[in-house]
Amino acid sequence: MKAAVWYDQKDVKIEERAVKAVKDNDVKVKVAWSGICGTDLHEYEIGPILLPKETPNAYTGETTPIVLGHEFSGIVEEVGKNVTEFKKGDRVVVNPVTTRGNHAAEIDRYYEFYSLGLHTDGSFAEYVVTNTENVVRVPEELPLDKAALTEPLSVSAQAVKEGEVKEGDTVAIFGCGPIGLFTIVAAKAAGAKEIYAFDLSDERLEKAQQVGATHVLNTRNEDAAAYLKNRHPEGVDASFEVAGVKPTFDSAISVTKPKGNVVVIAIHARNFEFNPVQLMLSGVKLSSSLGYEHETFKKSLDILMNKDIDVSPIMTKKIELDHIVEDGFHSLSSDLSQAKILVKLSGEL
C-alpha cells in the first residue's frame, strides 16, 4: 500500500508499505480521509518528539520509520474471526489511542498509552489495521470527510468537559488554531451562551465566528483582559488556553471568575515563570486536558451530526497523499488561513 512514512526531521517519504496482518480481534479499514494534526506537523518539523526513533516504544515494541497520521475515517475492508459487530462495507472512524485499561476511564490515558501514527503505523496510508474496540460506526448521514474530524474534536470536547461548561455559561478561548476552533464548536454544543475568541490572526477570528464564537477580538489591537472585564467584571465561567504562550496563560487566569475553570489544552513549547500567588488570589481552578476518553470520542460524532453545528469552515483544504509535504506540512507552517487540511486516500464520502 502507498503510505507517508516518517524517517527523520523533515524527511517524510511516500513509499510502498506492507499491510499488517489482520488478527482475530482486528478490523482492517480502507482509509477515506485523514487530517493533518499539529502533532504530525511538529514531528515533521522538529521531531522526533513522541516518535520512537532509536529506542523501541515500550508498548508496541516498534521504532521508526513509522507511517504518520491518526485522524481518519474509512470503510471496513476485512474483519478478524472474532469480530461480530462490524462487517465489510461499514463506514467507521477509529480512536487511535489505546490504553492499558488499568484505571478509571477519565485518568487511564495519563498512565500509559500508545497511538496510531506515533507509536505504530497510522492513517496516512491506504489501509489501517486496528483492534475492534477502537472502531466506531459512522451514521449514514455523516459524510466521511467530516467524520475524519472526530478525533481532533474529541480533544476539545474533553477539555470542555473538564471545564464543566454548561447551558448558559460564558466562555473565553485564547487561540483560534484548529483545536481552538474545535473548542468553540464543543463549547457551543455544551450550551455556552457567550463564546469569546481571541487571536492575533483576522483570518482565524473570521473562522471562529463562522463556527460559533459570539465575540472575537484581535489582541494586536486591544488587551483581551481589559476587553472582557468591561463586559464581565466578575469574570467568565470558563476559559481555555489554546495558544501555548505565557501572555494567553496569564490572560486566561485573569478573566475567569473565582471558582471558574481555566483549562490548558495547548502543548507549551517553552517553559515560563509563574507565580502561584496569581492563582491563589484569583480563586480559579486551573487544570489541563490531554487526549480524551473513548466515550468522549463516540459522543463527538453526535456533535458533528448536530444541525446547529457547522464545522465546514475548519476544513480548509483537501490534498493528495503524494503532495502531503508541500501542500500539507509546508502549507500549515506558512499560511495562517489554513486550519484542518485533509489528505485524500480513497476519497469516499
Side-chain angles (χ1 to χ4, degrees), residues 253-265:
I253 293 174
S254 69
V255 304
T256 306
K257 68 181 185 182
K259 300 306 177 184
N261 289 287
V262 175
V263 183
V264 177
I265 314 175

Side-chain angles (χ1 to χ4, degrees), residues 140-262:
E140 287 296 329
E141 315 90 86
L142 185 64
L144 287 176
D145 56 348
K146 189 181 287 188
L149 304 179
T150 304
E151 198 278 343
L153 175 55
S154 300
V155 173
S156 295
Q158 185 69 43
V160 166
K161 178 181 176 181
E162 305 288 350
E164 301 176 321
V165 177
K166 61 186 183 301
E167 194 77 31
D169 274 0
T170 300
V171 169
I173 294 167
F174 293 87
C176 296
I179 295 300
L181 294 175
F182 282 121
T183 305
I184 294 169
V185 169
K188 180 179 178 180
K193 181 180 179 181
E194 294 183 67
I195 302 173
Y196 292 84
F198 303 98
D199 201 279
L200 298 172
S201 163
D202 288 333
E203 293 93 339
R204 288 180 170 181
L205 290 170
E206 182 179 355
K207 287 184 177 62
Q209 280 189 304
Q210 291 171 345
V211 300
T214 56
H215 305 77
V216 299
L217 179 72
N218 190 319
T219 49
R220 289 188 191 277
N221 308 320
E222 188 175 349
D223 179 68
Y227 174 86
L228 265 180
K229 286 294 184 182
N230 285 334
R231 289 157 178 78
H232 296 279
E234 295 185 357
V236 298
D237 296 296
S239 61
F240 297 88
E241 200 286 291
V242 207
V245 292
K246 178 176 171 55
T248 53
F249 177 85
D250 290 339
S251 293
I253 293 174
S254 69
V255 304
T256 306
K257 68 181 185 182
K259 300 306 177 184
N261 289 287
V262 175

Side-chain angles (χ1 to χ4, degrees), residues 20-323:
K20 293 185 176 180
V22 178
K23 298 177 182 177
D24 292 348
N25 297 310
D26 285 347
V27 174
K28 178 181 175 182
V29 178
K30 183 180 182 181
V31 180
W33 301 91
S34 183
I36 300 178
C37 176
T39 303
D40 300 316
L41 178 62
H42 292 150
E43 293 290 0
Y44 171 75
E45 291 185 329
I46 60 173
I49 303 169
L50 297 175
L51 291 169
K53 184 180 179 183
E54 297 176 357
T55 304
N57 176 262
Y59 208 147
T60 67
E62 297 181 44
T63 186
T64 54
I66 276 176
V67 178
L68 292 175
H70 57 271
E71 308 174 357
F72 68 106
S73 62
I75 307 288
V76 173
E77 180 78 8
E78 182 183 345
V79 299
K81 69 177 185 179
N82 293 339
V83 178
T84 58
E85 58 269 49
F86 297 101
K87 64 183 185 306
K88 182 174 181 177
D90 285 344
R91 306 164 75 254
V92 298
V93 288
V94 175
N95 179 349
V97 177
T98 298
T99 64
R100 290 284 190 188
N102 294 332
H103 302 85
E106 61 266 26
I107 60 172
D108 200 42
R109 65 190 182 279
Y110 291 107
Y111 286 92
E112 190 174 14
F113 73 92
Y114 75 88
S115 175
L116 297 173
L118 291 172
H119 312 114
T120 187
D121 285 344
S123 58
F124 293 147
E126 294 178 279
Y127 296 97
V128 168
V129 176
T130 187
N131 191 282
T132 185
E133 292 182 357
N134 292 62
V135 182
V136 179
R137 197 181 311 277
V138 172
E140 287 296 329
E141 315 90 86
L142 185 64
L144 287 176
D145 56 348
K146 189 181 287 188
L149 304 179
T150 304
E151 198 278 343
L153 175 55
S154 300
V155 173
S156 295
Q158 185 69 43
V160 166
K161 178 181 176 181
E162 305 288 350
E164 301 176 321
V165 177
K166 61 186 183 301
E167 194 77 31
D169 274 0
T170 300
V171 169
I173 294 167
F174 293 87
C176 296
I179 295 300
L181 294 175
F182 282 121
T183 305
I184 294 169
V185 169
K188 180 179 178 180
K193 181 180 179 181
E194 294 183 67
I195 302 173
Y196 292 84
F198 303 98
D199 201 279
L200 298 172
S201 163
D202 288 333
E203 293 93 339
R204 288 180 170 181
L205 290 170
E206 182 179 355
K207 287 184 177 62
Q209 280 189 304
Q210 291 171 345
V211 300
T214 56
H215 305 77
V216 299
L217 179 72
N218 190 319
T219 49
R220 289 188 191 277
N221 308 320
E222 188 175 349
D223 179 68
Y227 174 86
L228 265 180
K229 286 294 184 182
N230 285 334
R231 289 157 178 78
H232 296 279
E234 295 185 357
V236 298
D237 296 296
S239 61
F240 297 88
E241 200 286 291
V242 207
V245 292
K246 178 176 171 55
T248 53
F249 177 85
D250 290 339
S251 293
I253 293 174
S254 69
V255 304
T256 306
K257 68 181 185 182
K259 300 306 177 184
N261 289 287
V262 175
V263 183
V264 177
I265 314 175
I267 304 295
H268 284 245
R270 295 180 179 85
N271 293 333
F272 59 82
E273 289 188 1
F274 169 64
N275 185 350
V277 173
Q278 177 188 357
L279 192 63
M280 296 173 67
L281 293 176
S282 69
V284 305
K285 295 183 287 184
L286 177 64
S287 65
S288 62
S289 184
L290 173 69
Y292 41 81
E293 301 166 42
H294 188 61
E295 192 61 30
T296 301
F297 183 88
K298 292 192 290 185
K299 288 182 178 178
S300 292
L301 280 168
D302 296 333
I303 297 177
L304 293 172
M305 290 289 294
N306 188 329
K307 289 183 171 53
D308 294 326
I309 299 292
D310 181 16
V311 296
S312 57
I314 302 177
M315 297 188 291
T316 48
K317 186 164 43 169
K318 295 176 178 178
I319 65 173
E320 300 291 333
L321 180 65
D322 286 336
H323 303 140

Side-chain angles (χ1 to χ4, degrees), residues 12 36 40-41 44 68 124 324-325 327-333:
V12 171
I36 300 178
D40 300 316
L41 178 62
Y44 171 75
L68 292 175
F124 293 147
I324 191 171
V325 172
D327 294 348
F329 300 139
H330 292 176
S331 181
L332 285 171
S333 293

Side-chain angles (χ1 to χ4, degrees), residues 327-345:
D327 294 348
F329 300 139
H330 292 176
S331 181
L332 285 171
S333 293
S334 61
D335 184 358
L336 285 177
S337 70
Q338 294 301 326
K340 183 57 62 179
I341 294 179
L342 292 180
V343 180
K344 175 185 174 185
L345 278 307

